[in-house]
Amino acid sequence: MIDRYTLPEMGALWTELHKKRMWFEVELAALWAKGQHGDAPKKVYVLTRGIQITESVLARADEIEEITDQDMIAFVLAVTELLDELAKRYYHTGLTSYDIEDTALALVLRDCLKLLLQKLEHLKQVLLKKAYEHRKTLEIGRSHGIHAEPITFGFKLLGWADVIDRHIARLKLALKEISVGKFSGATGVYLLDPQIEVLACRYLKLKPAKISTQIISRDLLVQYTSALAGTANSLDRFATEIRHLAGTDVSEVAEYKRPGNKASSAMPGKSKLKNPIKSENTCGLARVARGYLIPAFECEVVWGERTLENSSAERIYLPDLTILLDFMLKRFADTIEKLEVFPEQMKQNVWRT
């Protein structure tokens, strides 16, 4: 995702350095499990744990990848250059690339969902506070864009908070479902004892996949993507309503504008009218978020026990969608928190009909 829409905490979870550190964390889990199971000396885990994955390790892996043309092999070789001969014998043995990649991805997505859930909970509280503040602020309800029966502005916001509450439940379910690891090897039939998978996943606080092929089934990523895109879709709905209420002919709300804000390069007078650009931005980003449903669904389809067409798409849509929703949640919460509401204008609109 471009820097404009990347917040630091979420962006840090999708850096190449963090990804490779998670790969190493999964390798450490496997070594620990092998030690506990008696398949490797316990000191191998202790010795390997002392290695730090730095930018220089990544640079070395990039050099090796120029020869191997495979990023996991290159990373494994870069790490094993730092190990003694005993540890080299056990590092990554019995595992396939996606034992590491899919399990590490689960760790990243788990942390992403925790951040998103924090922001959703904050948005819910912002909506509830604003709803309580305007629980008696009379507003006309609209049906087909036509005046219908009176409501209150607080009632409208309370409905939005209810939607967000359901999205919190959906993301919590996605968090539970996505927290799955695998150490089942090529085609999923276990070169290592399956108990090592159980122990390694326990180390990482993940569930072992009940059944995996050479990869973890992508229906889990479909669920993850659907939960995030669905949340973005609801933000689009709310922001669209703010845009309607902020229009000159309705004038019931206005987005907060900092002093010095300029609304138009051609019409300086528009600075006083407060274009609802934050809400428009939210609507535009939701269009992108919904677009990522297509690659997510298509990446579930693989040939046999695995093919690689999912890899390229997932490198793009998973970080982009996650970073986008993180940004959208912060922006929309700020919009609601600072939203200017005009009760007298709302009352005048009621009495128009």
Side-chain angles (χ1 to χ4, degrees):
M1 179 45 58
I2 61 174
D3 290 343
R4 186 180 183 91
Y5 302 123
T6 303
L7 300 178
E9 194 173 5
M10 183 63 82
L13 294 177
W14 290 103
T15 63
E16 194 69 16
L17 181 61
H18 184 71
K19 180 174 81 169
K20 298 297 173 58
R21 283 175 172 168
M22 292 301 99
W23 285 9
F24 184 64
E25 190 67 22
V26 175
E27 296 278 12
L28 284 176
L31 288 175
W32 178 85
K34 289 174 184 177
Q36 297 300 308
H37 194 258
D39 285 27
K42 290 184 178 180
K43 68 177 182 179
V44 169
Y45 163 74
V46 176
L47 292 170
T48 307
R49 188 179 59 186
I51 291 177
Q52 298 294 316
I53 304 303
T54 62
E55 292 288 356
S56 63
V57 176
L58 267 59
R60 176 60 182 145
D62 288 343
E63 291 174 1
I64 298 171
E65 190 178 351
E66 289 293 320
I67 302 167
T68 64
D69 201 27
Q70 213 268 19
D71 57 351
M72 178 59 68
I73 293 173
F75 181 69
V76 168
L77 291 174
V79 172
T80 54
E81 287 180 351
L82 306 174
L83 297 175
D84 65 16
E85 290 304 316
L86 178 65
K88 285 180 182 179
R89 290 169 53 192
Y90 296 97
Y91 190 86
H92 196 70
T93 55
L95 300 172
T96 191
S97 295
Y98 265 74
D99 289 334
I100 308 305
E101 292 197 39
D102 273 358
T103 306
L105 179 61
L107 297 177
V108 172
L109 295 181
R110 182 176 67 183
D111 288 344
C112 289
L113 282 168
K114 288 177 181 178
L115 280 180
L116 292 173
L117 282 165
Q118 288 175 13
K119 284 191 168 66
L120 273 169
E121 188 60 46
H122 174 65
L123 174 57
K124 186 177 86 168
Q125 295 307 318
V126 167
L127 286 166
L128 289 174
K129 182 180 178 181
K130 204 79 163 182
Y132 185 79
E133 180 184 343
H134 291 285
R135 66 195 184 280
K136 294 182 180 179
T137 301
L138 193 66
E139 182 185 33
I140 193 65
R142 295 172 172 92
S143 177
H144 305 279
I146 307 300
H147 284 203
E149 296 296 321
I151 59 170
T152 70
F153 187 57
F155 174 74
K156 184 191 295 287
L157 296 178
L158 198 62
W160 296 0
D162 186 43
V163 173
I164 293 300
D165 203 40
R166 288 195 291 277
H167 284 305
I168 289 172
R170 292 180 186 115
L171 262 66
K172 284 181 177 178
L173 178 60
L175 176 59
K176 179 182 176 183
E177 294 293 324
I178 207 69
S179 298
V180 171
K182 76 173 285 282
F183 294 82
S184 57
T187 70
V189 294
Y190 294 98
L191 182 58
L192 300 174
D193 190 304
Q195 187 61 26
I196 291 175
E197 178 179 73
V198 174
L199 291 168
C201 285
R202 187 181 303 162
Y203 176 97
L204 296 167
K205 296 182 173 58
L206 299 173
K207 298 173 295 184
K210 288 182 180 179
I211 296 176
S212 55
T213 60
Q214 197 158 324
I215 60 174
I216 292 175
S217 176
R218 264 45 196 167
D219 69 289
L220 294 175
L221 295 183
V222 170
Q223 181 185 16
Y224 175 87
T225 305
S226 299
L228 269 60
T231 304
N233 202 59
S234 292
L235 296 181
D236 188 2
R237 170 195 160 192
F238 308 153
T240 297
E241 180 65 4
I242 290 174
R243 292 169 62 190
H244 165 239
L245 298 178
T248 304
D249 297 329
V250 178
S251 295
E252 293 183 357
V253 303
E255 290 184 0
Y256 169 78
K257 301 297 179 188
R258 294 189 306 271
N261 173 269
K262 302 298 181 184
S264 171
S265 62
M267 298 173 285
K270 281 197 72 182
S271 297
K272 298 178 181 179
L273 300 179
K274 300 182 178 179
N275 294 341
I277 58 172
K278 301 276 194 306
S279 298
E280 291 170 345
N281 176 254
T282 297
C283 293
L285 295 179
R287 296 174 182 180
V288 179
R290 286 190 293 267
Y292 287 128
L293 285 167
I294 294 174
F297 275 90
E298 292 189 349
C299 283
E300 184 182 351
V301 182
V302 295
W303 299 9
E305 280 52 65
R306 71 84 38 95
T307 43
L308 203 58
E309 66 270 45
N310 64 294
S311 175
S312 54
E314 288 167 6
R315 289 173 191 260
I316 298 169
Y317 89 78
L318 283 172
D320 276 16
L321 173 59
T322 309
I323 291 168
L324 266 188
L325 182 59
D326 182 62
F327 178 87
M328 291 172 69
L329 286 168
K330 183 181 187 307
R331 166 146 287 186
F332 191 72
D334 289 347
T335 301
I336 294 295
E337 199 163 23
K338 299 173 183 175
L339 190 69
E340 296 182 64
V341 180
F342 307 121
E344 288 304 313
Q345 179 64 24
M346 288 184 176
K347 191 181 296 184
Q348 287 183 35
N349 284 343
V350 169
W351 289 106
R352 284 175 59 195
T353 51

